[in-house]
Amino acid sequence: MYNALYGGEVKRKILIVDDEDINRELLGNMLIDDYDIAYAENGKEAIDCIKNSDEKISLILLDLMMPVMDGFEFIKAYNEDQDLSSIPVIVMTSDTESEAEIIKAGAVDFIKKPYNMPEVIIARCERVIELYEKQQIIESTQIDELTGLYSKEYFYEYIRQMRTSGFVEDVTMDAISLDIEHFHLINEIYGHEEGDFVLKKIADIIRNQIQDRIGIACRAEADTFYIYTDSISDYQAFLDNIMKEIDDIAFSSGNIRLRMGINESIDDGETPQSIFEHARLACNLIRGDYVNQIGFYDSNLHDEQIYNEKLITDIDQAIRDKDFVVHFQPKYSIQHGEPMLTSAEALVRWNHPTLGMISPGKFIPLFESNGLIQKLDEYVWETAAYQVSRWKDKYGITIPVSVNVSRIDIYNPDLEDTLVGIVERYGLKTSELYLEITESAYSDDAELLVKVVNSLRDKGFEIEMDDFGTGYSSLNMLTAIPIDALKMDMSFVRNMLKDDTSLKLVELIIDISRFLDVPVIAEGVEEQEQLDTLKELGCDIIQGYYFSKPVSAKEFEEFIKA
C-alpha cells in the first residue's frame, strides 16, 4: 500500500488494543493483508508498545473497557503526550452512549462491535490513515520545525486569510521585522546548538509578547522573525519587554542584541511579501547601529529603495553603453623644485541617461553591499589601463594610474588573473597600474588580504594604502602587509591648519612613511598654505583641487603636455 507521507510501497503499522483475544484475532485477520499488526491487551501495554517500537505506528484501534488502563484513561494520557497524540485513534465499542464522549476526548472515529462488516472497517482504517498523513504533510509546511512558529509561506497565507475574512478589517495592523545582531558569531563561536537554543527562546518570547494581541509570527529566515500585529503605541517599550525577557535567560553566548524594523499602518492593498520587505529594509538600514535599535519604514525609504533597485537593474546596461565615466585626478610630486606630474587616480562617475550625473557616494556603497562592485571595478581597471596605454603611445611617457580594489574584490579568486590579463591586453607593465586598498579590507579578513597583496606585489603591482589613519587597524596592517605608498585621508589635510591635533597626526603619518621608506600621498589639498605646510613636513605627493578636480581623459592631457 502506497505511503503518501514517506513514499514507496510499504505497509503501515496498526496497533490493536483489546483485552479480548477473540477481538484482537478478528481485527488482525481482517487487516493483516494490508498492514503490519501489533497487539496490546490494555492501555498501559499500548503506551509501552508505542514508546518501544522502532517502526512508526500509523493507527491505534482502541477498546474502551479493559483492565489495568481502560480506553478512557489511555485517551487522557494520549492527550498529554505529544508522541502519542500524533497517532490517530479509532475507538471500538458497543456502547453507543460513549461514542460522542470519546470523539470529543480525542478519538477520530469509532467502529461498532460486533465486527460483522470487514470491508467497512478496512475502509475506515485506510481513510483515517490517509487523512492523517496528508495533514502531517500540510503541517510540516505550516510550522518552522525549530521554533514552532509559522513558516514564512504559511504566515503570508494566514495574513491573506485574515484580510479576506474581514477579521482585521477595522484594525490598524503593523509589520515588524526582528533580527539578531551578529547572529552568525553565536554559531561560529558557541556552536549551532547554542544558536538553535537562542532562536527557540526568542520565538517563545515573541509568542508570549503577542499572545494577548491580534497578531501572528513566523521565522522568516535563519535569525529573522516577522510579526503581524495590531498597532503598538510604544515600540520602544515593546522591544524593551522582549529584551528584558532575553536578559532573564542564561545564554552561553552572553548578551543578545536585537534590531527591529517597523512598517506602520500598512495598506491592505499591498501583498504580505511587500509589507514585510519594507519592514526588513528598515531593519537592515540600522544594522550595526549601536545607538538605534528601531528603524521605521516611510515613503522616503520607499523612494530610496526604488531608486536603488533602478541603479542595480541598470548597471549592466550602463557598462555596455559606457555610461560610467572615468575621470582622472592628477598627483604631483612636490619635494624637488616645481611640482611635477607623477601619476593620476581614476575616479568613476555615472552619467545616467534618465537620472543624470550620479555621485559615486550613491552607487558605490550600494554596489559594495551586493557584490556588484566587482563588475564596476573591472570596468574602471580596463578603462584606466587603456588610457595609460594611449598616453604612453601618444606622448612617449608613462603616467601610472591608481585604481581602487574594493574589499569585495579581495574575495574574488580570479582577481590576480583578471588584473594581469588587463595590463597584458594593453601592453603595459604591472607597475604601471597602481592598486589602492583600504584598511577596511584588512579588518574584514586580515589573513586573506595579506595573502592577496603579497601575491599581487610578486606580480609587480604597486600597492597604495588608501584612507590611512581612519580605521582601527592602520598600524597593525602596516606590520603585516608590505606596501608601496601611504595615502593620507583628506580629513587630516582639511583640518591640519585648524587644530594642532590634526597637524600632529599629519606629522606622525609622514614619520611612519619615512620609517617604512615609502612615499606619502596627501589627498584633498586645496590651498597654497596647505601645500606649503605639507612640503615643509616632508610630504612627497599631493592631489586635490589646488591642482585640479577629477577631469576627463582628454582634459587630463593638458597636464601631460604641461
Side-chain angles (χ1 to χ4, degrees):
M1 191 169 290
Y2 186 78
N3 187 321
L5 184 59
Y6 298 102
E9 295 291 330
V10 297
K11 278 188 172 183
R12 283 89 129 217
K13 190 169 189 174
I14 292 179
L15 174 61
I16 298 173
V17 189
D18 196 315
D19 62 325
E20 295 287 343
D21 293 343
I22 186 66
N23 289 338
R24 293 198 301 272
E25 187 175 343
L26 276 171
L27 285 171
N29 289 337
M30 291 177 193
L31 301 167
I32 199 160
D33 289 342
D34 295 321
Y35 300 96
D36 283 336
I37 307 299
Y39 300 97
E41 296 184 10
N42 56 63
K44 185 177 184 306
E45 276 190 22
I47 292 173
D48 292 340
C49 179
I50 295 167
K51 296 289 187 183
N52 297 323
S53 177
D54 294 330
E55 299 176 59
K56 179 184 183 318
I57 292 176
S58 298
L59 178 65
I60 300 169
L61 297 180
L62 179 70
D63 187 28
L64 286 182
M65 307 309 295
M66 298 179 292
V68 184
M69 177 185 281
D70 64 23
F72 294 101
E73 292 172 313
F74 175 85
I75 288 289
K76 182 179 178 183
Y78 167 94
N79 288 326
E80 295 172 354
D81 189 309
Q82 189 172 356
D83 291 335
L84 298 177
S85 59
S86 64
I87 307 170
V89 174
I90 295 178
V91 168
M92 304 174 295
T93 180
S94 57
D95 181 6
T96 55
E97 293 181 1
S98 300
E99 290 171 5
E101 181 183 352
I102 204 66
I103 293 293
K104 288 180 182 178
V108 297
D109 203 350
F110 62 88
I111 295 172
K112 289 185 178 181
K113 294 181 180 179
Y115 310 131
N116 53 10
M117 299 181 69
E119 66 280 3
V120 174
I121 292 173
I122 294 171
R124 285 192 171 184
C125 290
E126 186 173 336
R127 174 179 168 276
V128 167
I129 291 174
E130 186 177 340
L131 287 174
Y132 256 70
E133 287 179 349
K134 287 181 177 178
Q135 182 179 334
Q136 284 179 290
I137 293 173
I138 294 169
E139 287 179 352
S140 69
T141 64
Q142 290 179 351
I143 302 298
D144 173 59
E145 186 177 352
L146 178 66
T147 64
L149 296 176
Y150 289 124
S151 65
K152 183 166 67 174
E153 290 71 22
Y154 188 74
F155 175 76
Y156 288 153
E157 180 59 31
Y158 203 112
I159 291 173
R160 283 189 283 267
Q161 294 295 331
M162 291 173 73
R163 287 173 164 184
T164 56
S165 68
F167 184 70
V168 292
E169 185 176 6
D170 299 322
V171 182
T172 303
M173 302 296 289
D174 293 350
I176 303 171
S177 176
L178 197 65
D179 272 32
I180 305 171
E181 199 76 64
H182 301 306
F183 178 74
H184 67 283
L185 294 178
I186 296 174
N187 281 332
E188 291 172 13
I189 297 172
Y190 300 96
H192 286 275
E193 187 175 338
E194 172 69 10
D196 288 349
F197 177 69
V198 170
L199 292 172
K200 286 188 280 190
K201 288 301 180 183
I202 289 178
D204 291 341
I205 291 168
I206 290 172
R207 259 190 298 265
N208 181 51
Q209 288 295 319
I210 65 172
Q211 65 180 349
D212 296 327
R213 311 191 65 87
I214 300 173
I216 56 172
C218 80
R219 180 186 175 212
E221 292 175 17
D223 65 325
T224 301
F225 299 89
Y226 287 168
I227 303 170
Y228 181 67
T229 179
D230 55 318
S231 281
I232 296 172
S233 59
D234 188 343
Y235 271 105
Q236 187 61 59
F238 179 73
L239 181 58
D240 288 345
N241 287 336
I242 293 176
M243 291 305 303
K244 183 178 184 303
E245 288 198 53
I246 288 174
D247 291 342
D248 290 339
I249 300 170
F251 292 115
S252 302
S253 47
N255 293 331
I256 304 295
R257 187 176 187 276
L258 302 180
R259 66 179 187 276
M260 180 185 290
I262 299 159
N263 184 9
E264 289 186 294
S265 305
I266 51 185
D267 183 357
D268 283 355
E270 290 188 86
T271 65
Q273 290 89 337
S274 175
I275 62 176
F276 279 96
E277 281 172 9
H278 295 162
R280 182 76 179 273
L281 174 64
C283 189
N284 287 341
L285 287 176
I286 57 170
R287 186 192 304 273
D289 187 336
Y290 285 90
V291 176
N292 300 305
Q293 283 183 269
I294 301 177
F296 290 88
Y297 181 82
D298 58 22
S299 59
N300 292 332
L301 272 181
H302 178 263
D303 293 343
E304 183 179 350
Q305 184 184 26
I306 298 299
Y307 182 82
N308 287 343
E309 286 298 323
K310 181 164 182 58
L311 299 188
I312 290 168
T313 302
D314 291 351
I315 181 173
D316 290 324
Q317 188 65 45
I319 288 174
R320 287 193 294 270
D321 295 345
K322 300 188 185 303
D323 291 335
F324 288 109
V325 181
V326 179
H327 286 179
F328 300 87
Q329 188 170 39
K331 294 192 276 190
Y332 282 84
S333 171
I334 61 172
Q335 284 301 321
H336 305 286
E338 289 298 312
M340 179 168 37
L341 179 68
T342 60
S343 59
E345 180 180 3
L347 298 161
V348 66
R349 305 290 185 267
W350 190 351
N351 189 11
H352 195 282
T354 58
L355 300 176
M357 193 63 75
I358 304 173
S359 163
K362 290 281 188 183
F363 60 85
I364 287 180
L366 175 66
F367 293 157
E368 282 181 336
S369 69
N370 56 30
L372 291 174
I373 193 67
Q374 292 186 65
K375 291 184 178 182
L376 180 58
D377 283 345
E378 190 169 337
Y379 172 85
V380 173
W381 301 340
E382 187 97 25
T383 305
Y386 162 78
Q387 205 57 60
V388 172
S389 174
R390 188 173 182 280
W391 290 332
K392 194 175 182 179
D393 292 341
K394 187 173 182 178
Y395 297 105
I397 60 172
T398 295
I399 305 295
V401 172
S402 303
V403 295
N404 183 62
V405 176
S406 75
R407 57 185 179 179
I408 305 299
D409 296 320
I410 299 299
Y411 291 93
N412 182 1
D414 299 324
L415 173 63
E416 184 179 311
D417 291 341
T418 299
L419 286 165
V420 170
I422 287 172
V423 296
E424 288 180 348
R425 190 152 52 247
Y426 293 99
L428 301 179
K429 301 174 184 177
T430 51
S431 60
E432 294 172 327
L433 196 66
Y434 297 164
L435 307 180
E436 293 188 1
I437 296 175
T438 62
E439 62 185 82
S440 61
Y442 179 81
S443 60
D444 280 353
D445 192 331
E447 185 176 344
L448 177 63
L449 182 63
V450 171
K451 179 181 176 181
V452 170
V453 166
N454 279 325
S455 182
L456 289 170
R457 291 186 84 249
D458 288 343
K459 292 292 184 181
F461 289 102
E462 295 199 7
I463 307 297
E464 298 178 346
M465 183 193 291
D466 195 19
D467 298 335
F468 179 75
T470 59
Y472 299 109
S473 52
S474 301
L475 295 177
N476 285 338
M477 187 176 176
L478 291 178
T479 64
I481 301 178
I483 59 169
D484 299 288
L486 280 182
K487 292 197 73 175
M488 186 190 315
D489 186 70
M490 66 176 63
S491 61
F492 297 122
V493 174
R494 286 174 180 166
N495 295 318
M496 68 179 185
L497 300 179
K498 299 176 183 177
D499 64 80
D500 290 339
T501 300
S502 293
L503 183 60
K504 291 292 183 184
L505 287 172
V506 170
E507 292 178 11
L508 176 61
I509 292 170
I510 293 173
D511 286 343
I512 289 172
S513 73
R514 292 289 167 268
F515 177 77
L516 296 173
D517 195 25
V518 298
V520 62
I521 304 165
E523 296 182 282
V525 178
E526 299 179 355
E527 304 169 6
Q528 181 70 49
E529 190 177 359
Q530 290 173 334
L531 186 151
D532 293 340
T533 301
L534 289 166
K535 183 174 182 178
E536 183 181 342
L537 292 174
C539 181
D540 301 284
I541 299 170
I542 65 172
Q543 71 179 95
Y545 277 39
Y546 177 81
F547 288 108
S548 174
K549 65 181 181 179
V551 295
S552 68
K554 184 178 180 180
E555 291 173 295
F556 190 87
E557 291 186 9
E558 297 302 318
F559 299 109
I560 300 176
K561 294 174 184 177

